[in-house]
Amino acid sequence: ATGIAFSILEKPIAAMWFKIDNFGVMFISINVFGFMSYFSGAKPKPWLIVGYVIAGVLGIFTLSTNYLVRDIQEFYWGYFPKWGVLSMAFFPFFFGYMIAGFWVLLHEYKRTINITRKNQIKYLLTSIAFAYTGSIDFLPAYYGIGIYPFGYISILLFILTVAYAILKHRLLDINVDIKRTLVYSITSAVVVGGFVIIIPPLEALCQW
């Protein structure tokens, strides 16, 4: 969605794709927290439920209102979203679950004595640290600072690090991952396709 929005010249269409993009952003920290928790053997089910409810509500507001993505602004690289008042509720949620996820994994690292397990956790911590450097994207979105949003490079480093850990240290079962990735890709395509169909009527209704 970000790539499509970057490549579009028409402002209203770019704004629609940035809303779809930021719908996904609402779920980043809670997904990472859930993955770290289950990987380390923790079972914080109540916190996961609360997190997904909050992410879902923020996602709905992102798609259907202008309280979070209130406009888009033009920089030297193209359009980028401008965040509104609802971002004040998002930031504590985002960084709170981010810190909680790191704490859970660090606790598991200190607790375990298995060398292979420690190496797996080290690579996972490194990959997540790479991913979260993408938070630089919040500077142009919230403060309007003209820093190029290189978050997609952060995600690329995350993917490469996890891939290396899977192949070198058996971080995850690669066969299971391939099957789940296929299911996830199909599900994502269906969801995004649904949003593309639903959002224009919602925008028209809001304007009316």
Side-chain angles (χ1 to χ4, degrees), residues 65-141:
T65 74
N66 294 325
Y67 291 125
L68 203 144
V69 180
R70 65 184 179 91
D71 198 1
I72 60 173
Q73 48 197 335
E74 190 169 1
F75 293 95
Y76 65 88
W77 65 81
Y79 291 129
F80 205 66
K82 178 183 286 187
W83 281 21
V85 64
L86 197 61
S87 57
M88 297 302 293
F90 168 76
F91 286 128
F93 165 71
F94 180 87
F95 289 108
Y97 272 97
M98 179 187 75
I99 293 169
F102 276 110
W103 184 88
V104 166
L105 213 53
L106 285 170
H107 178 73
E108 173 66 9
Y109 180 81
K110 293 178 181 178
R111 186 185 66 85
T112 187
I113 59 174
N114 184 287
I115 299 301
T116 301
R117 180 73 168 172
K118 279 186 175 290
N119 283 330
Q120 290 175 339
I121 294 172
K122 280 196 296 185
Y123 277 102
L124 187 54
L125 281 169
T126 302
S127 67
I128 298 297
F130 280 143
Y132 272 118
T133 61
S135 299
I136 194 76
D137 291 5
F138 293 141
L139 294 179

Side-chain angles (χ1 to χ4, degrees), residues 27-44 48 52 97 100-102 104-105 108 117 120-121 123-125 127-128 132 158 162 165-166 171-173 177 180:
F27 291 87
I28 291 175
S29 275
I30 185 59
N31 281 337
V32 172
F33 173 73
F35 174 66
M36 288 181 168
S37 298
Y38 281 100
F39 181 82
S40 63
K43 296 179 180 179
L48 282 174
Y52 277 111
Y97 272 97
F102 276 110
V104 166
L105 213 53
E108 173 66 9
R117 180 73 168 172
Q120 290 175 339
I121 294 172
Y123 277 102
L124 187 54
L125 281 169
S127 67
I128 298 297
Y132 272 118
F158 162 76
V162 169
I166 289 173
L171 176 65
L172 300 168
D173 186 333
D177 285 348
R180 289 179 176 175

Side-chain angles (χ1 to χ4, degrees), residues 123-200:
Y123 277 102
L124 187 54
L125 281 169
T126 302
S127 67
I128 298 297
F130 280 143
Y132 272 118
T133 61
S135 299
I136 194 76
D137 291 5
F138 293 141
L139 294 179
Y142 184 70
Y143 294 103
I145 300 174
I147 297 177
Y148 182 75
F150 59 77
Y152 62 90
I153 299 176
S154 302
I155 299 303
L156 176 61
L157 293 174
F158 162 76
I159 293 170
L160 292 175
T161 307
V162 169
Y164 178 80
I166 289 173
L167 297 174
K168 183 74 174 178
H169 298 283
R170 296 181 180 178
L171 176 65
L172 300 168
D173 186 333
I174 188 64
N175 293 320
V176 173
D177 285 348
I178 290 172
K179 293 176 183 177
R180 289 179 176 175
T181 300
L182 180 61
V183 172
Y184 173 77
S185 300
I186 294 172
T187 304
S188 299
V190 171
V191 171
V192 172
F195 287 146
V196 172
I197 295 171
I198 293 171
I199 286 178

